[in-house]
Amino acid sequence: MSPPARSFSSLPIHPALARALAARGYDTSTPVQAAVLDRAHAGRDLLISSQTGSGKTIAFGTLLVETLLGDAPTFQRAPDPAALVIVPTRELAAQVREELGWLLHDTGLRAASFTGGTGIGGDLRALGRGVDLVIGTPGRLVDLVRRQRLNLASLRMVVLDEADEMLDLGFRDDLETLLGAAPVDRRTVLLSATLPAEIRALARRFQRDAVAVDPRRAARDTGVAPAGGAAHEDIAYVAHLVAAPDRLAAVVNVLRIFDLTGSLATPAAARAIVFGTTREGVAALHAALVARGFAATMISGDRAQADRDRALEQMRHGEARVLVATNVAARGLHLPDVDLIVHADLPLNAESLAHRSGRTGRAGRKGTAVLIVGLHERRKAERLLSAIGARATWSAAPSPEAIAAAARQRLVATLLEDTDTPATGPDDVAALLHTLEGRQSPGRLLARLLSRELARLPVGEPLTSVAPPAAASREPRPSHVGPRRSQSEFASDGVVFRINLGAKDRADPRWMLPLICRRGGVTRREVGAIRIGARDTTFEIAGDAAHDFSLASARIDPRAPHVRIDRADARPRAAPKRR
């Protein structure tokens, strides 16, 4: 079995990739990169267990070159695509396209990404110019195939990245359509953070005698820890129990103390992501943080791709230090140096908690995930933490007094800092002292200056006193993600919702399920029976997810503003007239 990590120079890697990696300063592989390049796996289908942040994009990039180029110096272009990479989200598609762009620069491979939420005209033009490597989301790829503009008959390799996420979002039928359109003798590489029965069934159906690759197991067997550690090893979980009206105040205070403590090596470069459940809530939270002086930006599902890209660039370049986001930022964003995650709203399920929190504590870097928990949400928070095998430290949210004390400590440290570069020149300081000399005593002058500085220090928000739960410190249970719930479970506590699409709109459960998951921020495990009617469709949502689903699905999707989702026991809202 391969060792967890090795030097790239010792691995069977194409010269073009070796040059690209060296130019970027990569000299040592991650465990997953070393594992997939094992010579015993050459040309084989692979079923790879891979966590977010493990270096998997470079890993399957090396496999693409191994399969498409072999020993040839560059790729010999053909009329139709030779490789396909399928990902669950637009953001992940953009990240994969960016990462593979520099990695494959000298190979001659032409790559392009195709995702929903963007104009299809650009996709058609890109295909017309010729594409060797297609990267895209399932829905848009199927659309292009059905338009007969994307021909998959010449594919030599298919990669399914974050396959568990794609199944959770209800893309099974789209995946089967795409894999069914590809040649049977292609090479298929499937990457998934977890390997539930559904993933293994997909692998058995569409892969040929696949080799299971688990770098984490390799690390255990060889006694060498992977570079990134265990799934939660580099993430410290903290939970703050707060009164319902204090959620915003708690978020503000967490960010204040994060900015002041100086516990990070380079606090000026530190970044945080604050997650909310709904687009409206994220917009309100972003506005509140900006009003309080935070350098914050935001992304959510209703924002144009250009706006999302601009927000991410602001974070990367340090123009913004706080990103406020919905779950659209939980996976697929290229922000490797996030130090703090704040769950302003509890995520809907354990997978979401793991993926949100997984935006920090990456590549050996330590991080902190803070959960803001309302009094009525305590048990839900405990269940979520237990489900991912994480143990949180429960404490009161940072108080205004704690923030004031931290601010004073930061001021003292700054004034006593030993530096050879004064803020102003020594001549200016001497001239000013000469002007003030005799007009004010040094002690009184210092007191006035300190009073002015103290008045400028950041302040915390007042909070209602809430005692943290003593029972929350118990050991977590082993992580477990169960199968889709049985119909009897939905019958006991499921909530019925209605969507204003029916047989008249050619509604079909195969495409309704991804729509329901996307609009309500749930996975297919929380969705029960879908019943198509003449003018509308009813479906069930698990009881413990129904409240959050109702909030999230009530927001208008600008991509389909005429689609409305309501509880079936509520009076349906009227859809706007189409123009």
Side-chain angles (χ1 to χ4, degrees), residues 326-343:
T326 58
N327 271 0
V328 74
R331 300 176 86 162
L333 294 188
H334 188 43
L335 291 171
D337 52 355
V338 173
D339 299 276
L340 174 70
I341 299 297
V342 181
H343 301 277

Side-chain angles (χ1 to χ4, degrees), residues 488-512:
S488 61
E489 291 180 271
F490 283 98
S492 63
D493 70 350
V495 177
V496 180
F497 286 80
R498 178 192 296 109
I499 186 170
N500 63 333
L501 298 174
K504 65 178 177 61
D505 306 292
R506 299 182 180 179
D508 188 298
R510 289 177 297 179
W511 60 262
M512 294 286 283

Side-chain angles (χ1 to χ4, degrees), residues 222-244:
T222 57
V224 181
H232 308 284
E233 185 176 296
D234 291 328
I235 304 175
Y237 283 85
V238 178
H240 296 315
L241 199 64
V242 302

Side-chain angles (χ1 to χ4, degrees), residues 377-387 394 469 471-472 474:
E377 298 174 313
R378 170 190 147 186
R379 296 190 182 281
K380 178 181 178 182
E382 291 176 341
R383 287 196 301 270
L384 292 174
L385 289 162
S386 180
W394 286 79
R474 61 176 179 257

Side-chain angles (χ1 to χ4, degrees), residues 91 95 273 299 312 323 328-329 331-335 359 362:
E91 285 69 29
Q95 177 188 335
I273 301 179
I299 63 173
L312 296 181
L323 175 65
V328 74
R331 300 176 86 162
L333 294 188
H334 188 43
L335 291 171
R359 300 312 308 175
R362 297 157 68 91

Side-chain angles (χ1 to χ4, degrees), residues 430-442 445:
L432 187 56
L433 285 173
H434 180 73
T435 301
L436 296 171
E437 193 173 19
R439 301 176 62 181
Q440 190 73 267
S441 69
L445 180 60

Side-chain angles (χ1 to χ4, degrees), residues 441-463:
S441 69
R444 185 170 176 79
L445 180 60
L446 178 60
R448 295 187 66 178
L449 290 173
L450 286 176
S451 296
R452 177 187 293 183
E453 289 302 311
L454 287 171
R456 294 174 177 175
L457 294 180
V459 295
E461 307 272 320
L463 294 168

